[in-house]
Amino acid sequence: ERSARVAAVEAAAAGLHWTFAPMVDVSRDARWGRVMEGAGEDPYLGSVVAAARVRGFQGSDLGELDTVAACAKHFAGYGLAEAGRDYNTVDISEQTLREVVFPPFQAALDAGVVTVMNAFNEIGGTPATSSVYLQREVLKKEWAFDGFVVSDWGSIGELIPHGVAADARHAALLAITAGSDMDMESNAYAEHLEELVEAGEVDVALIDDAVRRILAIKLRLGLFDDPYRYSDTDREASLVLSDEHLQAAREVARDSIVLLKNEGDVLPLSKKKGVIAVIGPLAADKDTPLGSWRGRAITDSAVSLLEGVKAAVGPDVEVRYAQGAPIAVGQRNFVAELTINEDDRSGFPEAVEAARGADAVLFAFGEEAFQSGEGRSQVDIGLAGVQQDLLKAVLDVNSNVVGVLMNGRPLALPFEAEALPSLLVTWHLGSQAGHAIADVVFGDHNPSGKLPVSFPRHVGQMPLYYNAKNTGRPAPPPALGPPLVFWSHYTDSPNSALFPFGHGLSYTTFDYSRPQAATKTMARGGDMKISVEVTNSGERAGVEVAQLYIRDLVGSTTRPVKELKAFERLSLEPGESREVVFTLTEKDLAVYTAGGVWQAEAGDFEVFVGGSSTDVQATQFTLR
């Protein structure tokens, strides 16, 4: 919410009054490049983040000058594209649509989002842009959405290659009938709606409805009073990249960093003395932290890791730098395909010498900015190019290496996870990335981030997500001896994630008591309180995110093995304990039943509480 608020204030001051965000697609396949835009693989977390971003963008009153209209996208199912290939077909069940895809959109609507963007993909043979079911029956009738629907870029015209429209005129007919109120970039409405109405093929009432919806939002934004009210060069100069906003960017960025591994307490490093080598293709990169969707951000304007380290350390610390090798060569921008460096190892010797004898090495690697994002699907989600070879060369001369992973998607890193004693996921953190990472590396900030997506062992596990179904053949009980082959598994890899959803370490440790249900049974219409004591058992103050999951043990439809239903962020001093009480309501237990209704079904529920989706303890209760 805070990051969206800063974005809204700066955008509004620059003359903008509408943003195509938040993207609320649940995504479970790291091959899909647009994973980096959303909140990950879980519908509950996605719902919480969607609502927060809408509140941040729109504030409490769209008429205020520091707000912009938000747009929930892409409605619907875009994040579940087959094979992780952008713009590809989506083929999912009604249960998945209702329980996984829809909740973040519903949360955005509950938070007051005023626009929704439809999706490029089809579901069940009907493109979203021409789907009466999605736009008129669900969004506008069932959910009573009173804002407007905008097509995705050119998606009305794309009804032609989809094969449901013969030409642009036909596409306009299908889209306006289905409830797409605004045509972005196809020009089908501008060129054909008038003649369609005059020919009696489109009821003018549909046009009136679309126009009313759009004008109502312009009215709420105050654009009829003054269409230029958002454009204020003095306000823009004082607010964009203000000290307050840069500090917020730094704080948001460091809270987003996830510590995956820290064997032997390699981190935090000392910033008072010694030799630190900053090595890797992204070590001095000032552009990659801006990410793929960077709007009008100035190229090479971010604080690099190298700059952040140099700004943080004292005069008695020697900082060495070597790139080693670039990830990509040649042209790099939003519309171009990257050319990955597969051959150039000429910088390896310099990197090896920089690492040799250093007290610690910060190895910055991962994804260049334009490896992730729209149109950036990949069949290989390991390290691109010669990065792994460079890492091996560095490890040969110095084992005290901290991996600083910069990435827009989960990567498959089995070698790196095993070989590196310490590993940070820093994503593409924005303008203050280098300072934020240095804050964590040197212990000025204790990491508290948790993974919103599962990191796979191998790309062959895609799609991978923690809240999977049990199947009729889960792992056989250990009592049966060596496992038989006839169960749902791979013969060459564990089923589990390399790093699971919800995982994230700290420079301190947290212990959980076994969770306790307030009573053994919960009455319909009542609630269930689940309590747990969390203790900071380490020697540093830290923040822990306590997570609660449930499992409906028997239902009219098959249920996931775990479903996130709540989380709470706790700041604890060393030795401090605190009781956390989660309250589950009947709504939290509701499922889309075999009868096609949302309902909590009577029966037994297992509740899990802990620091990740796998590091949990359980209790049970019964819904009567």
Side-chain angles (χ1 to χ4, degrees):
E1 181 174 351
R2 186 182 183 194
S3 66
R5 182 92 292 271
V6 169
V9 169
E10 293 199 354
L16 301 178
H17 42 75
W18 188 20
T19 177
F20 291 154
M23 191 204 87
V24 302
D25 295 305
V26 172
S27 49
R28 297 166 158 182
D29 194 330
R31 293 173 296 181
W32 190 55
R34 299 191 81 168
V35 169
M36 48 80 75
E37 291 182 57
E41 69 191 44
D42 181 74
Y44 174 77
L45 177 62
S47 298
V48 173
V49 173
R53 294 188 72 196
V54 169
R55 291 193 303 268
F57 288 134
Q58 296 189 172
S60 58
D61 182 359
L62 268 185
E64 297 294 328
L65 281 176
D66 62 354
T67 66
V68 296
C71 182
K73 65 182 189 184
H74 307 83
F75 196 67
Y78 183 47
L80 301 181
E82 284 187 358
R85 197 175 77 236
D86 214 353
Y87 319 122
N88 201 13
T89 299
V90 172
D91 193 4
I92 56 177
S93 67
E94 183 76 7
Q95 183 191 34
T96 299
L97 195 62
R98 292 280 177 174
E99 294 188 350
V100 177
V101 174
F102 281 174
F105 287 97
Q106 293 174 291
L109 263 63
D110 290 342
V113 73
V114 294
T115 70
V116 170
M117 184 184 294
N118 61 34
F120 286 123
N121 57 278
E122 63 164 89
I123 298 179
T126 302
T129 305
S130 62
S131 174
V132 174
Y133 171 70
L134 286 176
Q135 296 172 112
R136 291 213 182 273
E137 294 181 13
V138 173
L139 186 60
K140 293 181 177 179
K141 182 178 179 181
E142 184 179 331
W143 297 349
F145 175 59
D146 61 359
F148 70 84
V149 179
V150 59
S151 79
D152 206 341
W153 183 286
S155 70
I156 294 178
E158 290 177 15
L159 295 177
I160 301 169
H162 267 299
V164 297
D167 50 32
R169 185 181 187 277
H170 188 194
L173 169 64
L174 293 175
I176 193 68
T177 302
S180 294
D181 300 306
M182 182 182 285
D183 175 2
M184 192 208 311
E185 289 298 318
S186 290
N187 292 318
Y189 282 5
E191 294 174 4
H192 299 291
L193 280 187
E194 183 178 5
E195 62 177 287
L196 284 166
V197 171
E198 291 174 347
E201 296 179 59
V202 169
D203 190 335
V204 73
L206 297 183
I207 310 298
D208 290 342
D209 177 61
V211 169
R212 283 192 191 98
R213 289 172 177 271
I214 294 166
L215 295 185
I217 304 308
K218 290 186 176 184
L219 186 67
R220 289 179 61 183
L221 288 165
L223 296 177
F224 290 116
D225 297 324
D226 177 4
Y228 305 107
R229 66 194 299 261
Y230 282 85
S231 303
D232 186 327
T233 54
D234 292 336
R235 203 156 52 92
E236 183 177 10
S238 66
L239 292 174
V240 174
L241 298 178
S242 67
D243 290 344
E244 178 185 355
H245 289 173
L246 291 177
Q247 182 61 28
R250 182 170 180 166
E251 292 172 6
V252 167
R254 67 192 186 193
D255 273 341
S256 302
I257 293 171
V258 184
L259 178 61
L260 294 184
K261 183 182 179 183
N262 195 29
E263 286 185 356
D265 294 330
V266 173
L267 290 174
L269 303 181
S270 170
K271 60 180 180 179
K272 294 182 178 180
K273 61 181 180 179
V275 178
I276 298 174
V278 185
I279 295 172
L282 301 176
D285 193 317
K286 294 172 61 61
D287 196 62
T288 284
L290 298 175
S292 180
W293 278 121
R294 79 250 316 269
R296 293 184 61 83
I298 299 168
T299 301
D300 295 321
S301 64
V303 177
S304 70
L305 173 62
L306 180 62
E307 290 172 326
V309 169
K310 286 182 174 180
V313 299
D316 295 328
V317 175
E318 178 189 350
V319 178
R320 303 174 183 169
Y321 164 69
Q323 183 189 45
I327 293 176
V329 294
Q331 186 181 41
R332 53 174 310 284
N333 57 52
F334 180 69
V335 299
E337 294 279 1
L338 279 178
T339 301
I340 300 298
N341 169 33
E342 302 287 359
D343 304 307
D344 184 3
R345 293 172 170 79
S346 60
F348 278 28
E350 182 185 8
V352 168
E353 285 308 306
R356 196 186 306 275
D359 294 295
V361 175
L362 296 176
F363 188 84
F365 68 121
E367 286 192 308
E368 203 262 12
F370 296 111
Q371 279 180 265
S372 287
E374 184 171 352
R376 266 80 179 184
S377 298
Q378 294 183 180
V379 296
D380 184 352
I381 54 172
L383 290 184
V386 299
Q387 293 185 87
Q388 190 177 99
D389 291 342
L390 175 62
L391 175 59
K392 289 177 178 178
V394 169
L395 285 167
D396 282 344
V397 299
N398 195 322
S399 61
N400 205 35
V401 180
V402 176
V404 179
L405 182 66
M406 300 181 186
N407 53 313
R409 56 158 60 85
L411 298 178
L413 304 171
F415 168 78
E416 294 77 10
E418 177 67 26
L420 288 165
S422 187
L423 180 58
L424 289 167
V425 177
T426 69
W427 318 106
H428 294 151
L429 288 178
S431 61
Q432 298 298 295
H435 290 319
I437 298 169
D439 288 342
V440 170
V441 163
F442 295 113
D444 295 320
H445 181 81
N446 194 348
S448 61
K450 301 285 188 175
L451 290 180
V453 283
S454 302
F455 273 53
R457 301 173 187 274
H458 191 277
V459 67
Q461 292 178 281
M462 292 291 110
L464 177 69
Y465 45 99
Y466 86 94
N467 47 350
K469 301 292 185 69
N470 201 39
T471 83
R473 291 199 177 188
L480 291 181
L484 304 174
V485 74
F486 302 110
W487 59 286
S488 182
H489 74 298
Y490 302 102
T491 60
D492 56 354
S493 172
N495 290 356
S496 60
L498 183 63
F499 295 107
F501 176 89
H503 174 71
L505 304 177
S506 168
Y507 294 151
T508 188
T509 52
F510 299 97
D511 295 336
Y512 287 76
S513 68
R514 184 168 293 279
Q516 300 292 323
T519 60
K520 292 183 179 180
T521 61
M522 172 179 164
R524 189 170 294 282
D527 60 38
M528 174 60 65
K529 297 191 184 303
I530 306 294
S531 60
V532 65
E533 187 173 77
V534 183
T535 301
N536 181 343
S537 54
E539 299 179 354
R540 296 173 59 104
V543 171
E544 170 68 338
V545 181
Q547 303 159 45
L548 181 144
Y549 301 82
I550 69 166
R551 182 177 180 185
D552 187 345
L553 296 177
V554 178
S556 64
T557 59
T558 58
R559 305 305 311 153
V561 293
K562 287 190 184 81
E563 298 177 81
L564 181 68
K565 290 298 178 180
F567 57 87
E568 186 165 333
R569 197 168 186 264
L570 307 168
S571 180
L572 297 172
E573 294 297 318
E576 182 182 1
S577 297
R578 189 178 308 167
E579 184 183 49
V580 182
V581 180
F582 297 101
T583 301
L584 289 171
T585 66
E586 189 174 338
K587 182 179 179 181
D588 296 319
L589 308 181
V591 301
Y592 193 67
T593 68
V597 296
W598 276 97
Q599 183 179 359
E601 298 179 318
D604 295 332
F605 288 81
E606 196 164 11
V607 183
F608 310 87
V609 180
S612 80
S613 60
T614 57
D615 183 15
V616 291
Q617 299 182 73
T619 187
Q620 286 192 342
F621 70 90
T622 301
L623 175 66
R624 298 296 186 189

